[in-house]
Amino acid sequence: MHWYILGAGAIGCLCAELLHNSGAEVTFVLRNQTQLDSFNQAGRQVRFHDADTSSSINVDASLPGDHATINHLLVTTKAYDTLPALSSIQHRLAPDAQIVLLQNGCGQQQEVTRLYFSLQVWAGITTHGAWRDAPFSIIRAGKGHISIGPMGKPQPALPNGWDMLTPPVIAEPNIENALWRKLAINCAINPLTALHGCRNGELLTDPKLTEQMLSICEEIEQIAHARGHKLFASSLFHAVSEIAQLTGDNFSSMLQDLRQGRQTEIEQITGFLCREASTLGMQVPHNQRLLDQIRTLQSRHDIKGEGCE
Ligand SMILES: NC(=O)c1ccc[n+]([C@@H]2O[C@H](COP(=O)([O-])OP(=O)(O)OC[C@H]3O[C@@H](n4cnc5c(N)ncnc54)[C@H](OP(=O)(O)O)[C@@H]3O)[C@@H](O)[C@H]2O)c1
């Protein structure tokens, strides 16, 4: 089995290791010659570090303009890069290629399924934590799991070879619901912590933030229900509070992106929710305000990002 990986960042490299260790051939599709040069300088290796151990794997790399046909593709770019990245390799995709989208946010999965209707598309979510300290050098920040499920037309529970991976990938038959659950949590925690520059735990210790989080959660739940998604056994507010408690010392990825002047995934998180509300003719004023505020912060820092309404 030969898997190409588009998006050789933290999650792409973790998945390269997973696939490589299962015996699959792995090839990164890098953005350009500069990235390929940097990969060659790194010895065509990906290195992994945690508190106690270091390891490395050797993988291959190609450029979008190459001609080898791609039958199996994993996309691990940031959500906002999905469509441009895919379009750069469109000419290489086999008509019935298998494609897995493993990213936060919503909207891009449905867009890919609609635009690339002949492909077999799976979407996934992951609770792994990792970041890059240098190109192709990954710090493991927390062990989690990966859940994958088919989008759109009926197809196998997992793509070719993904039932053989160790640790196992969870086959999620209702991936749209799982994507909504992850979206709901990200909508409730990320923009609020990014805006207030606080750790996740402060959402529970500052009564004003807790009240705001409650209003945000109630709006999200209304939109999810209108779309036919029951999110959690308890209320979303209860579920989010548990997560904020468990991850109390963490800074959300959106806050870290803002602090480092990187584009955030706000348009695929709260932006998606607001677009869904607008389509349904419903109001989500608390979420809309957060979206506007993060957009303003991004534009003040001159961070690239698309308005989408
Ligand atoms: N990291 C985590 O702990 C974590 C946990 C859960 C979920 N996620 C989600 O997983 C997704 C990936 O996150 P990440 O942390 O792995 O991001 P990342 O480290 O920034 O990696 C994204 C990679 O995609 C590459 N890329 C973007 N456009 C491309 C193109 N046109 N062609 C080729 N490569 C392209 C980027 O290259 P450049 O470096 O050149 O931009 C980068 O290497 C996100 O949706 C994130 O929210 C991440």
Side-chain angles (χ1 to χ4, degrees), residues 236-278:
L236 175 60
F237 177 72
H238 183 80
V240 169
S241 299
E242 276 185 358
I243 290 164
Q245 180 90 49
L246 280 171
T247 60
D249 285 339
N250 294 3
F251 291 113
S252 71
S253 56
M254 193 173 288
L255 173 56
Q256 294 179 47
D257 283 342
L258 268 184
R259 282 186 169 165
Q260 290 172 33
R262 293 189 300 243
Q263 185 177 349
T264 71
E265 293 181 305
I266 189 72
E267 300 298 343
Q268 290 72 31
I269 296 177
T270 308
F272 174 81
L273 184 91
C274 293
R275 290 194 297 280
E276 288 288 283
S278 162

Side-chain angles (χ1 to χ4, degrees), residues 7-11 31 35 76 78 81 85 103-104 128-130 132 265:
I11 296 299
R31 195 196 282 273
Q35 278 202 348
T76 47
K78 288 282 176 60
D81 279 327
Q103 305 161 312
N104 276 344
H128 285 300
R132 278 183 289 177
E265 293 181 305

Side-chain angles (χ1 to χ4, degrees), residues 187 191-192 195 211-223 270-271 273-278 281-295 309:
C187 272
L192 210 47
L195 205 57
E211 198 182 315
Q212 227 182 319
M213 189 170 85
L214 174 62
S215 309
I216 289 163
C217 285
E218 285 172 352
E219 288 180 3
I220 299 165
E221 228 159 17
Q222 281 169 12
I223 303 302
T270 308
L273 184 91
C274 293
R275 290 194 297 280
E276 288 288 283
S278 162
M282 294 169 72
Q283 303 292 319
V284 283
H286 290 91
N287 283 279
Q288 184 64 52
R289 195 171 315 120
L290 277 183
L291 175 61
D292 294 342
Q293 287 170 316
I294 298 284
R295 280 177 179 166
E309 285 165 316

Side-chain angles (χ1 to χ4, degrees), residues 5-14 29-32 35 64 75-82 84-86 88-89 102-105 108 125-132 136 138 141-142 182 186 190 253 257 262 265 269:
I5 299 182
L6 185 59
I11 296 299
C13 288
L14 287 187
V29 187
L30 300 176
R31 195 196 282 273
N32 52 32
Q35 278 202 348
V75 181
T76 47
T77 61
K78 288 282 176 60
Y80 48 75
D81 279 327
T82 310
L86 262 181
S88 75
I89 58 157
L102 187 58
Q103 305 161 312
N104 276 344
Q108 74 276 13
I125 52 175
T126 180
T127 54
H128 285 300
W131 52 279
R132 278 183 289 177
F136 311 105
I138 307 302
K182 184 93 197 274
N186 286 336
N190 285 14
S253 56
D257 283 342
R262 293 189 300 243
E265 293 181 305
I269 296 177

Side-chain angles (χ1 to χ4, degrees), residues 5-296:
I5 299 182
L6 185 59
I11 296 299
C13 288
L14 287 187
C15 291
E17 183 189 39
L18 189 62
L19 289 160
H20 174 271
N21 289 349
S22 79
E25 197 180 331
V26 176
T27 302
F28 289 138
V29 187
L30 300 176
R31 195 196 282 273
N32 52 32
Q33 187 62 44
T34 310
Q35 278 202 348
L36 187 55
D37 291 344
S38 147
F39 184 62
N40 288 333
Q41 272 164 20
R44 300 178 81 78
Q45 277 193 337
V46 186
R47 293 184 173 79
F48 302 93
H49 312 273
D50 60 25
D52 309 313
T53 57
S54 292
S55 60
S56 65
I57 55 166
N58 279 85
V59 295
D60 214 340
S62 74
L63 289 174
D66 292 350
H67 293 291
T69 300
I70 296 176
N71 290 296
H72 299 98
L73 177 73
L74 170 63
V75 181
T76 47
T77 61
K78 288 282 176 60
Y80 48 75
D81 279 327
T82 310
L83 293 179
L86 262 181
S87 109
S88 75
I89 58 157
Q90 194 170 357
H91 63 287
R92 297 183 58 184
L93 291 171
D96 59 348
Q98 298 198 334
I99 170 167
V100 179
L101 305 168
L102 187 58
Q103 305 161 312
N104 276 344
C106 273
Q108 74 276 13
Q109 303 91 346
Q110 294 77 1
E111 263 312 87
V112 170
T113 309
R114 188 177 68 78
L115 291 171
Y116 295 83
F117 51 86
S118 75
L119 305 189
Q120 303 174 69
V121 183
W122 285 261
I125 52 175
T126 180
T127 54
H128 285 300
W131 52 279
R132 278 183 289 177
D133 63 340
F136 311 105
S137 173
I138 307 302
I139 307 289
R140 300 179 206 273
K143 223 180 190 146
H145 56 261
I146 296 174
S147 306
I148 301 279
M151 293 285 297
K153 57 185 174 229
Q155 56 202 38
L158 290 173
N160 290 348
W162 282 57
D163 53 342
M164 306 295 284
L165 302 183
T166 312
V169 164
I170 299 166
E172 172 56 70
N174 191 348
I175 193 65
E176 297 230 26
N177 188 262
L179 290 171
W180 260 97
R181 287 200 301 271
K182 184 93 197 274
L183 178 93
I185 291 161
N186 286 336
C187 272
I189 292 182
N190 285 14
L192 210 47
T193 51
L195 205 57
H196 294 276
C198 66
R199 293 178 195 271
N200 294 353
E202 286 173 57
L203 297 179
L204 302 175
T205 55
D206 180 329
K208 273 195 180 145
L209 290 182
T210 312
E211 198 182 315
Q212 227 182 319
M213 189 170 85
L214 174 62
S215 309
I216 289 163
C217 285
E218 285 172 352
E219 288 180 3
I220 299 165
E221 228 159 17
Q222 281 169 12
I223 303 302
H225 288 170
R227 281 297 194 207
H229 294 290
K230 167 106 181 83
L231 295 177
F232 297 97
S234 59
S235 70
L236 175 60
F237 177 72
H238 183 80
V240 169
S241 299
E242 276 185 358
I243 290 164
Q245 180 90 49
L246 280 171
T247 60
D249 285 339
N250 294 3
F251 291 113
S252 71
S253 56
M254 193 173 288
L255 173 56
Q256 294 179 47
D257 283 342
L258 268 184
R259 282 186 169 165
Q260 290 172 33
R262 293 189 300 243
Q263 185 177 349
T264 71
E265 293 181 305
I266 189 72
E267 300 298 343
Q268 290 72 31
I269 296 177
T270 308
F272 174 81
L273 184 91
C274 293
R275 290 194 297 280
E276 288 288 283
S278 162
T279 306
L280 290 160
M282 294 169 72
Q283 303 292 319
V284 283
H286 290 91
N287 283 279
Q288 184 64 52
R289 195 171 315 120
L290 277 183
L291 175 61
D292 294 342
Q293 287 170 316
I294 298 284
R295 280 177 179 166
T296 304

